[in-house]
Amino acid sequence: MLLTIALGLWGIRRKNTMWGDESVTYQLAHRDLSQIWLTAQHVDLVHALHYAVMHELFGLFGAGLMTLRLPSVLAMSAAASAVGLLGLRLAGPRVGLLAGLVFPLLPQVQKYTQEGRSYAMVCALVAWATYALVVGVTRHARWRWAVYGCTMLLACLLHEFAVLALVAHGVTLVVSRVPRPVLRAWGVAAAGVVAGLLPLAIRSAEQSAQVSWIDVPVRLPEFLAAAVVGVACALAPVAARGPVRLPVLAVPIIVLPCLLLLIASLVKPLFVDRYVLYSNIGIALLAGAGMDHFHQMRKSSRNAAVAGVAAVAVLAALVLTGLWLRTPQSRSNDVTAIGATVRKVGRTGDGLLYLSGQHRIWTAANPEDTRFLRDLALAQDPVSSNTLAGVELPAPDIAARMLEFDRIVAVRAAGAHSPTNPQEQAKTSTLRRHFREYGTTHVNGARVTVYVRDHDPSPKAGPGSNSPGASGGVR
């Protein structure tokens, strides 16, 4: 727990930057609970509970990066303690200690320990539900299964894909051949979790367009590499200390959630590594057991030397990974840099255009960045419309408003094409026909371009342009 807190606090501010998803949390948590609920009816219902929790925390401790990310640090430290206790109960104190120390060092865990989203909380709840499961098998009591069911349900309400851990738990119990009363108690608890989750799942399915950005499994290679190492450790013999063996618990929680999401992705792409972050619980348990087995197998100084070299190499890789994860470039975009760039290249009275309109969330966290610019496509702001990015004008009105300006600052995702709806077509076609590019600045995840009317006498090179000597951010 202490190691997780220390690693979580190390570089937690990431040079005072946020990325897009965190910016959404930051913005929604500033709204009233009633506004959060109304917004969730249109978008992000799956995260509504997390936004409500963060709203209350912002009210108690103030809105800032520390308040945004510290709950994830504390949640992941709770997950680490549960991993240690699982290792202790299933395989002994040394495995528990090693598994608990490995867990916060895993790159995925380090990344989401400092993320202002719900995934660390989900991981912690699944970890403690798993511990309640193991205890419930040996100390059968209704209240223990009630605790298990409530913990799993809360995890699922924070993010519905936590329900995949429920499947892994069921497979573990079946393979372990637990007594029928235990299996029946788990079945009742699992049915309660599914029943409690069902309304959310049905309503959130209507918002499935939100995950349309997933076209291929996101970060699957990195996840599979960690999973392969973990499952390989399962080949090491582990002394059983109860009816549930450590590999029988750990392997399903690594493999099944990932496998089920990949199968579902054959119909609609859904796999993102953070959706199954809790699979790292199994990876840490198996890694701890494998390290313990290797320790017991050491019989010569040569083996000790090899182990020492391997340990130093792994530690160096983890340190380098940890350093990179604490930089703004470790995320897919940097909304702080995007907003600062808009403020730098824009002039008072310039038009502001988002290609596409959903990228309006990138600059909404700090209104000062766009205070002196006019949003050309906005008809109703995000708060009053109970949306994330506001409601835009009809396509003809957007085109007409654009022609009233001689300079327009356009914000678009790096390397992405705008959607083909009428509003976006009106924006791009009007820029192409009546404006020319004055200069583009590349920042992490986005491009900020200044356009000027063809009759504008300004030279083609200027601040933020790609001409020699112009400054630009990291693409």
Side-chain angles (χ1 to χ4, degrees), residues 376-415:
L376 301 181
L378 188 63
Q380 192 174 7
D381 67 86
V383 176
S384 63
S385 62
N386 295 312
T387 61
L388 294 183
V391 176
E392 296 202 328
L393 294 165
D397 294 344
I398 294 175
R401 187 178 287 186
M402 290 173 63
L403 294 176
E404 297 174 2
F405 287 77
D406 289 331
R407 279 174 50 101
I408 294 177
V409 179
V411 180
R412 57 164 60 87

Short mmCIF file of all heavy atoms in Angstrom, two decimals, residues 376-415:
data_model
loop_
_atom_site.label_atom_id
_atom_site.label_comp_id
_atom_site.label_asym_id
_atom_site.label_seq_id
_atom_site.Cartn_x
_atom_site.Cartn_y
_atom_site.Cartn_z
N LEU A 376 -17.75 29.66 -33.59
CA LEU A 376 -18.58 29.92 -34.76
C LEU A 376 -19.71 28.92 -34.95
O LEU A 376 -20.70 29.23 -35.63
CB LEU A 376 -17.71 29.94 -36.02
CG LEU A 376 -16.58 30.98 -36.03
CD1 LEU A 376 -15.82 30.91 -37.32
CD2 LEU A 376 -17.16 32.38 -35.81
N ALA A 377 -19.57 27.73 -34.40
CA ALA A 377 -20.58 26.69 -34.66
C ALA A 377 -21.51 26.46 -33.48
O ALA A 377 -22.51 25.75 -33.61
CB ALA A 377 -19.88 25.37 -35.03
N LEU A 378 -21.23 27.05 -32.34
CA LEU A 378 -21.97 26.73 -31.12
C LEU A 378 -23.33 27.43 -31.09
O LEU A 378 -23.43 28.65 -31.22
CB LEU A 378 -21.16 27.14 -29.89
CG LEU A 378 -21.71 26.69 -28.54
CD1 LEU A 378 -21.73 25.17 -28.44
CD2 LEU A 378 -20.88 27.29 -27.40
N ALA A 379 -24.38 26.62 -30.90
CA ALA A 379 -25.73 27.16 -30.73
C ALA A 379 -26.13 27.17 -29.27
O ALA A 379 -26.78 28.10 -28.80
CB ALA A 379 -26.72 26.33 -31.55
N GLN A 380 -25.74 26.12 -28.51
CA GLN A 380 -26.08 26.03 -27.10
C GLN A 380 -24.90 25.41 -26.37
O GLN A 380 -24.37 24.38 -26.80
CB GLN A 380 -27.33 25.17 -26.91
CG GLN A 380 -27.93 25.24 -25.51
CD GLN A 380 -29.24 24.49 -25.40
OE1 GLN A 380 -29.64 23.79 -26.34
NE2 GLN A 380 -29.90 24.61 -24.27
N ASP A 381 -24.47 26.03 -25.28
CA ASP A 381 -23.27 25.58 -24.59
C ASP A 381 -23.49 24.24 -23.91
O ASP A 381 -24.64 23.81 -23.68
CB ASP A 381 -22.82 26.63 -23.56
CG ASP A 381 -23.80 26.76 -22.43
OD1 ASP A 381 -23.70 25.99 -21.46
OD2 ASP A 381 -24.68 27.65 -22.52
N PRO A 382 -22.41 23.52 -23.55
CA PRO A 382 -22.53 22.17 -23.00
C PRO A 382 -23.36 22.10 -21.72
O PRO A 382 -24.13 21.16 -21.53
CB PRO A 382 -21.08 21.77 -22.75
CG PRO A 382 -20.28 22.55 -23.74
CD PRO A 382 -20.99 23.86 -23.85
N VAL A 383 -23.21 23.08 -20.82
CA VAL A 383 -23.91 23.00 -19.54
C VAL A 383 -25.41 23.16 -19.72
O VAL A 383 -26.21 22.37 -19.23
CB VAL A 383 -23.36 24.07 -18.56
CG1 VAL A 383 -24.16 24.05 -17.26
CG2 VAL A 383 -21.88 23.81 -18.26
N SER A 384 -25.83 24.19 -20.45
CA SER A 384 -27.26 24.43 -20.62
C SER A 384 -27.93 23.37 -21.48
O SER A 384 -29.13 23.12 -21.36
CB SER A 384 -27.49 25.81 -21.23
OG SER A 384 -26.92 25.88 -22.53
N SER A 385 -27.15 22.72 -22.36
CA SER A 385 -27.72 21.68 -23.22
C SER A 385 -27.61 20.29 -22.62
O SER A 385 -28.06 19.31 -23.21
CB SER A 385 -27.04 21.70 -24.59
OG SER A 385 -25.66 21.40 -24.46
N ASN A 386 -26.94 20.19 -21.43
CA ASN A 386 -26.74 18.90 -20.77
C ASN A 386 -26.05 17.91 -21.69
O ASN A 386 -26.45 16.75 -21.83
CB ASN A 386 -28.07 18.33 -20.27
CG ASN A 386 -28.70 19.17 -19.18
OD1 ASN A 386 -28.04 19.55 -18.22
ND2 ASN A 386 -29.98 19.49 -19.33
N THR A 387 -24.99 18.38 -22.34
CA THR A 387 -24.17 17.54 -23.20
C THR A 387 -22.71 17.73 -22.83
O THR A 387 -22.38 18.57 -21.98
CB THR A 387 -24.38 17.91 -24.69
OG1 THR A 387 -23.98 19.28 -24.87
CG2 THR A 387 -25.83 17.73 -25.11
N LEU A 388 -21.83 16.96 -23.48
CA LEU A 388 -20.40 17.13 -23.23
C LEU A 388 -19.81 18.26 -24.06
O LEU A 388 -18.95 19.00 -23.59
CB LEU A 388 -19.65 15.83 -23.54
CG LEU A 388 -19.94 14.62 -22.66
CD1 LEU A 388 -19.05 13.45 -23.07
CD2 LEU A 388 -19.72 14.94 -21.19
N ALA A 389 -20.27 18.40 -25.30
CA ALA A 389 -19.64 19.35 -26.21
C ALA A 389 -20.59 20.40 -26.77
O ALA A 389 -20.21 21.14 -27.68
CB ALA A 389 -18.99 18.59 -27.37
N GLY A 390 -21.78 20.50 -26.23
CA GLY A 390 -22.71 21.51 -26.70
C GLY A 390 -23.48 21.09 -27.94
O GLY A 390 -23.27 20.01 -28.49
N VAL A 391 -24.38 21.96 -28.39
CA VAL A 391 -25.20 21.73 -29.58
C VAL A 391 -24.77 22.73 -30.64
O VAL A 391 -24.64 23.93 -30.36
CB VAL A 391 -26.70 21.87 -29.27
CG1 VAL A 391 -27.53 21.72 -30.54
CG2 VAL A 391 -27.12 20.85 -28.22
N GLU A 392 -24.55 22.24 -31.86
CA GLU A 392 -24.06 23.12 -32.92
C GLU A 392 -25.19 23.61 -33.81
O GLU A 392 -26.27 23.01 -33.90
CB GLU A 392 -23.00 22.40 -33.75
CG GLU A 392 -21.76 22.05 -32.94
CD GLU A 392 -20.55 21.84 -33.82
OE1 GLU A 392 -20.72 21.38 -34.95
OE2 GLU A 392 -19.42 22.16 -33.36
N LEU A 393 -24.93 24.72 -34.50
CA LEU A 393 -25.88 25.33 -35.43
C LEU A 393 -26.09 24.44 -36.66
O LEU A 393 -25.27 23.57 -36.96
CB LEU A 393 -25.35 26.69 -35.88
CG LEU A 393 -25.24 27.80 -34.84
CD1 LEU A 393 -24.35 28.92 -35.37
CD2 LEU A 393 -26.62 28.32 -34.48
N PRO A 394 -27.16 24.67 -37.40
CA PRO A 394 -27.32 23.99 -38.70
C PRO A 394 -26.19 24.37 -39.64
O PRO A 394 -25.57 25.43 -39.52
CB PRO A 394 -28.67 24.51 -39.21
CG PRO A 394 -29.39 25.00 -37.98
CD PRO A 394 -28.32 25.51 -37.06
N ALA A 395 -25.91 23.50 -40.60
CA ALA A 395 -24.78 23.68 -41.50
C ALA A 395 -24.80 25.03 -42.23
O ALA A 395 -23.75 25.72 -42.27
CB ALA A 395 -24.73 22.53 -42.50
N PRO A 396 -25.92 25.50 -42.81
CA PRO A 396 -25.89 26.80 -43.51
C PRO A 396 -25.55 27.97 -42.59
O PRO A 396 -24.85 28.91 -42.99
CB PRO A 396 -27.32 26.93 -44.05
CG PRO A 396 -27.84 25.54 -44.14
CD PRO A 396 -27.22 24.83 -42.96
N ASP A 397 -26.01 27.90 -41.33
CA ASP A 397 -25.71 28.98 -40.38
C ASP A 397 -24.23 29.01 -40.03
O ASP A 397 -23.64 30.08 -39.85
CB ASP A 397 -26.55 28.82 -39.13
CG ASP A 397 -28.04 29.01 -39.40
OD1 ASP A 397 -28.38 29.54 -40.47
OD2 ASP A 397 -28.86 28.61 -38.55
N ILE A 398 -23.63 27.82 -39.91
CA ILE A 398 -22.19 27.77 -39.61
C ILE A 398 -21.40 28.40 -40.75
O ILE A 398 -20.49 29.22 -40.53
CB ILE A 398 -21.75 26.31 -39.38
CG1 ILE A 398 -22.41 25.73 -38.13
CG2 ILE A 398 -20.22 26.22 -39.26
CD1 ILE A 398 -22.11 24.26 -37.90
N ALA A 399 -21.73 28.02 -41.98
CA ALA A 399 -21.01 28.57 -43.14
C ALA A 399 -21.17 30.09 -43.21
O ALA A 399 -20.20 30.82 -43.48
CB ALA A 399 -21.52 27.91 -44.41
N ALA A 400 -22.39 30.57 -42.98
CA ALA A 400 -22.64 32.02 -43.05
C ALA A 400 -21.85 32.75 -41.97
O ALA A 400 -21.28 33.83 -42.22
CB ALA A 400 -24.13 32.29 -42.91
N ARG A 401 -21.80 32.19 -40.78
CA ARG A 401 -21.07 32.84 -39.70
C ARG A 401 -19.58 32.85 -39.97
O ARG A 401 -18.88 33.82 -39.64
CB ARG A 401 -21.38 32.14 -38.38
CG ARG A 401 -20.79 32.84 -37.16
CD ARG A 401 -21.15 32.16 -35.87
NE ARG A 401 -22.55 32.37 -35.50
CZ ARG A 401 -23.08 31.96 -34.34
NH1 ARG A 401 -22.32 31.31 -33.47
NH2 ARG A 401 -24.34 32.19 -34.07
N MET A 402 -19.05 31.78 -40.56
CA MET A 402 -17.62 31.74 -40.87
C MET A 402 -17.22 32.86 -41.84
O MET A 402 -16.13 33.42 -41.72
CB MET A 402 -17.27 30.37 -41.47
CG MET A 402 -17.33 29.21 -40.48
SD MET A 402 -17.10 27.59 -41.29
CE MET A 402 -15.43 27.76 -41.92
N LEU A 403 -18.10 33.16 -42.78
CA LEU A 403 -17.78 34.18 -43.78
C LEU A 403 -17.79 35.58 -43.21
O LEU A 403 -17.40 36.53 -43.89
CB LEU A 403 -18.77 34.08 -44.94
CG LEU A 403 -18.66 32.77 -45.77
CD1 LEU A 403 -19.73 32.72 -46.84
CD2 LEU A 403 -17.27 32.63 -46.37
N GLU A 404 -18.22 35.75 -41.97
CA GLU A 404 -18.18 37.05 -41.31
C GLU A 404 -16.80 37.36 -40.73
O GLU A 404 -16.55 38.46 -40.25
CB GLU A 404 -19.21 37.10 -40.19
CG GLU A 404 -20.66 36.96 -40.67
CD GLU A 404 -21.63 36.89 -39.51
OE1 GLU A 404 -21.16 36.99 -38.34
OE2 GLU A 404 -22.84 36.71 -39.74
N PHE A 405 -15.88 36.38 -40.76
CA PHE A 405 -14.58 36.53 -40.11
C PHE A 405 -13.45 36.44 -41.13
O PHE A 405 -13.53 35.73 -42.13
CB PHE A 405 -14.39 35.43 -39.05
CG PHE A 405 -15.23 35.65 -37.82
CD1 PHE A 405 -16.60 35.37 -37.83
CD2 PHE A 405 -14.67 36.14 -36.65
CE1 PHE A 405 -17.38 35.57 -36.70
CE2 PHE A 405 -15.44 36.35 -35.54
CZ PHE A 405 -16.80 36.07 -35.56
N ASP A 406 -12.39 37.20 -40.84
CA ASP A 406 -11.20 37.16 -41.68
C ASP A 406 -10.16 36.19 -41.16
O ASP A 406 -9.27 35.78 -41.91
CB ASP A 406 -10.58 38.56 -41.79
CG ASP A 406 -11.43 39.50 -42.63
OD1 ASP A 406 -12.13 38.99 -43.54
OD2 ASP A 406 -11.42 40.71 -42.36
N ARG A 407 -10.25 35.85 -39.89
CA ARG A 407 -9.32 34.88 -39.30
C ARG A 407 -10.11 33.86 -38.49
O ARG A 407 -11.01 34.23 -37.71
CB ARG A 407 -8.30 35.56 -38.38
CG ARG A 407 -7.12 36.23 -39.10
CD ARG A 407 -6.25 37.00 -38.11
NE ARG A 407 -5.90 36.19 -36.95
CZ ARG A 407 -4.71 35.59 -36.78
NH1 ARG A 407 -3.77 35.69 -37.72
NH2 ARG A 407 -4.46 34.90 -35.69
N ILE A 408 -9.75 32.60 -38.65
CA ILE A 408 -10.38 31.51 -37.90
C ILE A 408 -9.30 30.60 -37.35
O ILE A 408 -8.38 30.20 -38.07
CB ILE A 408 -11.35 30.70 -38.80
CG1 ILE A 408 -12.55 31.57 -39.21
CG2 ILE A 408 -11.84 29.45 -38.08
CD1 ILE A 408 -13.50 30.87 -40.16
N VAL A 409 -9.42 30.27 -36.06
CA VAL A 409 -8.54 29.28 -35.42
C VAL A 409 -9.29 27.95 -35.40
O VAL A 409 -10.38 27.85 -34.83
CB VAL A 409 -8.17 29.71 -33.99
CG1 VAL A 409 -7.28 28.66 -33.34
CG2 VAL A 409 -7.47 31.07 -34.01
N ALA A 410 -8.73 26.94 -36.04
CA ALA A 410 -9.37 25.63 -36.14
C ALA A 410 -8.60 24.60 -35.32
O ALA A 410 -7.37 24.54 -35.37
CB ALA A 410 -9.46 25.18 -37.59
N VAL A 411 -9.33 23.82 -34.56
CA VAL A 411 -8.75 22.77 -33.72
C VAL A 411 -9.23 21.42 -34.23
O VAL A 411 -10.43 21.18 -34.36
CB VAL A 411 -9.17 22.94 -32.24
CG1 VAL A 411 -8.55 21.85 -31.39
CG2 VAL A 411 -8.77 24.32 -31.73
N ARG A 412 -8.29 20.52 -34.53
CA ARG A 412 -8.65 19.18 -35.00
C ARG A 412 -7.67 18.16 -34.42
O ARG A 412 -6.56 18.51 -34.01
CB ARG A 412 -8.64 19.11 -36.53
CG ARG A 412 -7.30 19.49 -37.15
CD ARG A 412 -7.22 19.04 -38.60
NE ARG A 412 -8.25 19.63 -39.44
CZ ARG A 412 -8.14 20.80 -40.05
NH1 ARG A 412 -7.04 21.53 -39.88
NH2 ARG A 412 -9.10 21.26 -40.81
N ALA A 413 -8.11 16.92 -34.38
CA ALA A 413 -7.25 15.84 -33.90
C ALA A 413 -6.14 15.58 -34.89
O ALA A 413 -6.33 15.69 -36.10
CB ALA A 413 -8.07 14.57 -33.67
N ALA A 414 -4.96 15.24 -34.39
CA ALA A 414 -3.82 14.96 -35.26
C ALA A 414 -4.09 13.71 -36.09
O ALA A 414 -4.42 12.65 -35.55
CB ALA A 414 -2.56 14.77 -34.43
N GLY A 415 -3.94 13.85 -37.40
CA GLY A 415 -4.08 12.71 -38.28
C GLY A 415 -5.49 12.18 -38.45
O GLY A 415 -5.69 11.12 -39.05
#
